Amino acid sequence: MKDKIWLSSPHLTGREIFFVEDAFQKNWVTSLGENINEFENSLQRYLHGNVQICALNSATSAIHLALVILGITAGDEVITSSFSFIASANPIAYQGAIPVFVDSEKDTWNMSPAALQEAIEGRISKGNKPKAIIVVHLYGMPAKMDEVLSIAAKYEIPVIEDAAEALGSKYKGNACGTFGRFGILSFNGNKIITTSGGGALVCHTQEDKDKTVFLSTQARDNAPHYQHSHIGYNYRMSNISAGIGRGQMEVLNDRVDARRKMQSFYVDIFKDIDGVEVLSEPGTDFYSNHWLSAITVDASKTGKTREDLRLAFLEDNIESRPLWKPMHMQPVFADAPYYGGNVAETLFENGLCLPSGSNLTDDERNRIAKVIKQVFSK
Ligand SMILES: *Cc1c(COP(=O)(O)O)cnc(C)c1O
């Protein structure tokens, strides 16, 4: 059996262990310490905006806390992209709120501004104005933020940006994650950088950051004994994980370059194959970290389906994966309202994510190219 080629595996440098060891030596191994402060500071510098970062144990926790701070409670409705990982929507359910799913648009595969407008109007006409919008930058591709933000502003609905896949991406020169009332980052093992598991909430005021720290550390009131007037959570990042993050921040720009090179590699391979499209920036306003390279396969033109390619990869021990199955098609969200057409559904039927890691070697790229050429030359 040939060595496995992964879709997106952790890519460590060796420097991470230096910061982890430092935490061991100083015995700062829980959710306080220099690694947390420095990791938050380096993210703040990287994102440039006027932002405050709170490091947490996952991006899912970050979305949950954003909803808690916005006061989302049982029966409220929250709009989000149907075409995403389930972690964008689960925290809505944690609050007993109702997700309202919105279709994608074809350029970026992200939330369709037209369907968003339709969803807001549709919910208002039913007497339940949505309380928040969670917009996702999928596979690193920035969503059409000008349109989304102007619709959100018109109806005065706060925006949470799920930038879990988009650290290093920019829209009109500004970092993804800095546009909304809150932004979300993930450092899960498969993301562009990792802390083994972790996330962050991007805030714009000291007040929001303080609330996030408070809620993520069991909401302890200021007293010598344990005193509580709010329900809190155990969501803070540990100083050990943050040490891994500090090491990873040193190479984030290299990781973005390498992922973008992988996307160019696929653009180059598929340029001669009519009927296969590689997800690409629709214009100069968009700068994607290309966390995952993804394609759609038009079977009527190629005579092949994305399953043909996926199975051929599997045969060669190469991991690839169908695009996200839209949330409005998931059994667990069968009753949730949905607005839009069949863009997300069609992407799911015809789309495939390709190996995109920043640590792939030339030999591995050759193996990938060979399989692709075999499938589409038959
Ligand atoms: C990975 C991911 C999340 C969740 O991140 P965790 O840190 O694993 O909780 C949320 N949204 C999207 C779009 C993701 O890809």
Side-chain angles (χ1 to χ4, degrees):
M1 185 73 114
K2 290 185 188 167
D3 287 344
K4 177 140 181 166
I5 298 180
W6 299 93
L7 195 67
S8 177
S9 69
H11 186 183
L12 301 174
T13 65
R15 276 276 291 168
E16 297 84 0
I17 197 73
F18 170 81
F19 297 108
V20 172
E21 245 168 44
D22 188 61
F24 271 66
Q25 257 154 31
K26 294 176 179 154
N27 204 27
W28 288 104
V29 294
T30 63
S31 55
L32 271 179
E34 188 183 329
N35 284 339
I36 295 186
N37 299 338
E38 287 306 316
F39 182 50
E40 289 178 343
N41 290 342
S42 63
L43 281 166
Q44 186 177 15
R45 284 193 298 273
Y46 188 84
L47 295 176
H48 281 299
N50 192 8
V51 294
Q52 305 272 335
I53 310 291
C54 182
L56 299 168
N57 62 0
S58 76
T60 311
S61 307
I63 299 175
H64 190 194
L65 290 185
L67 294 174
V68 169
I69 293 171
L70 290 173
I72 308 301
T73 55
D76 287 346
E77 295 193 352
V78 175
I79 291 180
T80 189
S81 311
S82 181
F83 191 54
S84 185
F85 180 46
I86 195 163
S88 307
N90 274 341
I92 302 171
Y94 300 165
Q95 286 306 95
I98 299 156
V100 174
F101 293 113
V102 167
D103 200 6
S104 297
E105 49 89 21
K106 288 179 180 169
D107 291 346
T108 64
W109 301 0
N110 290 313
M111 184 179 279
S112 154
L116 170 63
Q117 165 96 25
E118 196 195 319
I120 297 172
E121 290 285 347
R123 300 327 290 170
I124 289 175
S125 75
K126 292 205 160 31
N128 211 352
K129 183 179 153 185
K131 295 275 172 64
I133 298 166
I134 302 174
V135 58
V136 187
H137 306 292
L138 219 56
Y139 304 124
M141 183 63 71
K144 292 188 169 165
M145 287 311 290
D146 274 359
E147 286 92 327
V148 169
L149 290 172
S150 90
I151 294 167
K154 183 168 135 197
Y155 295 95
E156 298 182 324
I157 304 174
V159 171
I160 299 168
E161 265 180 284
D162 182 345
E165 303 178 1
L167 178 59
S169 299
K170 289 178 198 150
Y171 175 76
K172 295 194 170 173
N174 293 312
C176 286
T178 63
F179 291 90
R181 164 77 189 274
F182 291 106
I184 268 90
L185 303 172
S186 174
F187 314 108
N188 192 6
N190 62 353
K191 298 288 156 63
I192 193 152
I193 60 166
T194 186
T195 58
S196 79
L201 191 63
V202 182
C203 305
H204 290 270
T205 63
Q206 189 64 46
E207 192 193 348
D208 276 346
K209 173 166 177 180
D210 291 346
K211 269 189 204 162
T212 311
V213 174
F214 172 74
L215 288 169
S216 67
T217 51
Q218 306 288 21
R220 270 187 76 185
D221 293 342
N222 194 6
H225 55 278
Y226 279 86
Q227 165 95 10
H228 302 275
S229 352
H230 291 87
I231 296 296
Y233 305 85
N234 184 6
Y235 281 174
R236 192 75 159 124
M237 182 178 277
S238 86
N239 198 48
I240 302 283
S241 300
I244 303 175
R246 271 179 90 179
Q248 290 271 280
M249 284 304 288
E250 294 179 348
V251 292
L252 177 53
N253 284 327
D254 301 339
R255 299 298 184 259
V256 173
D257 287 350
R259 299 257 176 182
R260 287 178 58 82
K261 281 205 185 97
M262 280 310 296
Q263 193 265 358
S264 305
F265 163 78
Y266 289 116
V267 167
D268 196 51
I269 295 183
F270 286 111
K271 70 178 187 298
D272 301 324
I273 303 174
D274 189 33
V276 178
E277 300 286 339
V278 181
L279 176 62
S280 300
E281 290 128 336
T284 51
D285 288 346
F286 302 82
Y287 181 86
S288 174
N289 68 7
H290 288 305
W291 169 60
L292 290 188
S293 294
I295 56 168
T296 52
V297 180
D298 180 344
S300 70
K301 284 188 183 154
T302 59
K304 300 287 172 189
T305 65
R306 73 106 198 277
E307 274 305 277
D308 292 325
L309 181 58
R310 191 180 70 81
L311 294 172
F313 274 142
L314 201 61
E315 194 73 11
D316 208 65
N317 209 17
I318 298 171
E319 184 183 30
S320 65
R321 187 157 310 153
L323 303 186
W324 301 122
K325 179 170 180 173
M327 289 304 121
H328 73 278
M329 297 169 71
Q330 298 286 357
V332 71
F333 292 129
D335 298 332
Y338 171 71
Y339 291 85
N342 64 355
V343 175
E345 204 169 325
T346 308
L347 288 167
F348 171 60
E349 273 164 27
N350 303 321
L352 193 68
C353 293
L354 306 174
S356 306
S358 48
N359 48 3
L360 295 178
T361 63
D362 283 339
D363 278 350
E364 289 172 323
R365 268 184 289 275
N366 289 340
R367 268 175 63 195
I368 293 166
K370 200 169 148 197
V371 171
I372 294 170
K373 281 172 187 154
Q374 269 166 4
V375 168
F376 290 101
S377 68
K378 277 183 215 152

